Amino acid sequence: MAWLLVVIAGVLETGFAVCLKLSHGFTRLWPTIAFAAFALGSFGLLTLALRKLDVGPAYAVWTGIGAAGTAIYGMIFLGDIVSTLKIVSITFVIVGVVGLQLSGSAH
């Protein structure tokens, strides 16, 4: 259950990063409100998950999902540049997160 919270928190991190861009420096109301809601939800779920999980692997999964998700979203929906190096780098992030998870540090 705690890992599910981390995964959901990571997806919400993607949401708050995208809304941060869309807010244009907090000058647009609805993206700013969405940013705050996604951020609160993401940090809240991560905090609940950390009651049962080691901080290192949990934080790595959370940030890995957020970083990879945001980069992928940007390439698909926001016109960010797509390159082989970017895709390989996202793959390395995901592999690193999975490696930490499989390292035996999970409860």
Side-chain angles (χ1 to χ4, degrees), residues 10-99:
V11 172
L12 292 175
E13 182 187 1
T14 296
F16 83 67
V18 169
C19 289
L20 187 61
K21 176 174 178 59
L22 297 176
S23 76
H24 289 270
F26 300 127
T27 61
R28 294 186 176 164
L29 179 63
W30 292 112
T32 299
I33 291 170
F35 159 78
F38 281 126
L40 183 62
S42 181
F43 287 116
L45 292 177
L46 180 63
T47 299
L48 292 175
L50 288 176
R51 291 178 179 175
K52 303 224 183 224
L53 300 174
D54 291 341
V55 69
Y59 185 76
V61 169
W62 178 70
T63 57
I65 291 170
T70 303
I72 291 167
Y73 186 95
M75 288 186 291
I76 294 172
F77 297 108
L78 300 177
D80 289 358
I81 295 170
V82 178
S83 69
T84 302
L85 181 57
K86 190 179 279 190
I87 292 169
V88 168
S89 298
I90 291 168
T91 302
F92 283 150
V93 168
I94 293 168
V95 168
V97 165
V98 170

